Amino acid sequence: MVSLNRAALPAVEELMGQAGRYGITVSESRSGATVLDLGVRAPGGIEAGLKMAEICLGGLGRASLSWFEVAGLRLPAVSVWTDSPALATLGAQMAGWRLELSGKTVLGSGPARALAKKPKRIYRTLGHDEGSDVAILALEADVLPDDDFLSRIAGACGVEPQGLYVLVAPINSPAGLVQVVARAVEACLLKMMNLGLDVLAVRNAVGLSPLPPPHPDPDVCMGRANDSLLYGSTVWLTADLDDDALSGAVGKLPSSSSPSYGKPFLAIYEEAGRDFYAIDPGIFAPAEVVITCLRSGRTYMAGELDEELVLRSFGLRA
């Protein structure tokens, strides 16, 4: 069985070996854990964010910069693809580990989750039992973890601190923004699983999301990143499922199936009392979903891009 942490390690080693090129800093804690700063104090960059996205995918996917046309404007975009969609996105990339860091709740993603089994239901569905003496965790945070935090993570993963690598980037950093908008396929697979579809039957996945302009305010960046995913992203899948299952489900997969659809994400967030867990989970989905049935060759499509909302969110429309 593939080890997500071991598969992602070469990309971590590349970041560490070329820290100057990627604009990152690497430090070792007293316990021996390694912290990679991709945007807290270090400048980071787009390339570091693309590498972070690939690490979050457990080394089973690729991320690159592309272009995306929205209402006649050409915007940079993040493209992600994988031939192991369920394991790469749900088993590794999903931000499924709630952690406390410096008095704040932060979300952990990356292959370390598979060792800690956060959350357990994901790994029961995937039938994956991770084995590794290395743990790789990604944090969307604006502070670097201290030694106590790192020791707790190593213990939860069952590895020695020397085998723990933690990548950190805030949402209002270039790397942080890139790795968040690289999650369109993840959002689609999670919604498929919640609808009772067999996510292991998804064979190939490609996602494309526009990359928002940066902004110093983390709330604005968070809103823009989510609007990119909910209103501007497209996911293409192939699946070994029957036509009845796909034709019946495809209309429920895009974000437009949620009653919260149509509002900028920051407005949705405020209405929920700034509590992510109070938001209708159905909104966390791509804008547009395309699925090809491998059994029949038929393709099913649902959803659409809300180009004007994306442009307003990005500050490109009044």
Side-chain angles (χ1 to χ4, degrees), residues 200-261:
L200 294 173
V202 181
R203 297 287 183 256
N204 322 100
V206 180
L208 184 67
S209 309
L211 179 61
H215 195 283
D217 187 330
D219 278 353
V220 174
C221 282
M222 184 264 291
R224 288 179 175 181
N226 278 281
D227 287 336
S228 168
L229 293 167
L230 309 186
Y231 301 108
S233 70
T234 299
V235 169
W236 285 71
L237 308 173
T238 66
D240 185 15
L241 293 168
D242 63 47
D243 287 283
D244 288 343
L246 291 177
S247 63
V250 68
K252 302 174 184 177
L253 292 175
S255 56
S256 56
S257 65
S258 167
S260 299
Y261 179 85

Side-chain angles (χ1 to χ4, degrees), residues 65-77 208 210-211 213 307 310-311 314 316-317:
L65 203 63
S66 183
W67 291 99
F68 199 78
E69 187 166 308
V70 177
L73 292 176
R74 286 176 64 80
L75 305 179
L208 184 67
L211 179 61
E307 297 180 341
V310 170
L311 292 178
F314 287 10
L316 301 176
R317 283 283 193 272

Side-chain angles (χ1 to χ4, degrees), residues 16-233:
M16 295 169 60
Q18 301 187 62
R21 167 187 165 179
Y22 287 104
I24 73 168
T25 58
V26 181
S27 59
E28 185 176 303
S29 72
R30 290 194 308 274
S31 63
T34 301
V35 176
L36 289 77
D37 177 359
L38 280 71
V40 179
R41 299 170 186 161
I46 290 173
E47 194 173 17
L50 294 172
K51 191 62 65 177
M52 187 177 187
E54 293 183 351
I55 291 165
C56 284
L57 288 162
L60 300 181
R62 293 291 177 264
S64 63
L65 203 63
S66 183
W67 291 99
F68 199 78
E69 187 166 308
V70 177
L73 292 176
R74 286 176 64 80
L75 305 179
V78 176
S79 176
V80 171
W81 63 100
T82 173
D83 292 327
S84 303
L87 188 57
T89 63
L90 301 182
Q93 189 184 28
M94 176 184 166
W97 194 351
R98 293 184 72 179
L99 295 160
E100 185 174 313
L101 176 60
S102 298
K104 298 180 181 178
T105 298
V106 298
L107 295 177
S109 58
R113 286 180 39 246
L115 288 166
K117 289 188 165 50
K118 300 289 184 179
K120 289 185 173 62
R121 69 183 182 97
I122 294 292
Y123 300 98
R124 286 196 297 266
T125 297
L126 298 177
H128 181 75
D129 189 14
E130 178 80 358
S132 174
D133 56 355
V134 171
I136 301 166
L137 180 71
L139 297 175
E140 181 189 318
D142 58 7
V143 295
L144 298 176
D146 57 23
D147 205 60
D148 178 64
F149 178 92
L150 296 168
S151 296
R152 284 190 283 115
I153 295 299
C157 293
V159 301
E160 294 297 322
Q162 293 84 353
L164 176 63
Y165 299 83
V166 179
L167 291 74
V168 190
I171 185 68
N172 60 337
S173 69
L177 200 54
V178 167
Q179 72 93 14
V180 170
V181 300
R183 294 171 178 270
V185 173
E186 174 209 322
C188 191
L189 268 287
L190 180 59
K191 195 161 185 182
M192 288 183 75
M193 188 187 76
N194 290 337
L195 288 171
L197 292 171
D198 180 7
V199 290
L200 294 173
V202 181
R203 297 287 183 256
N204 322 100
V206 180
L208 184 67
S209 309
L211 179 61
H215 195 283
D217 187 330
D219 278 353
V220 174
C221 282
M222 184 264 291
R224 288 179 175 181
N226 278 281
D227 287 336
S228 168
L229 293 167
L230 309 186
Y231 301 108
S233 70

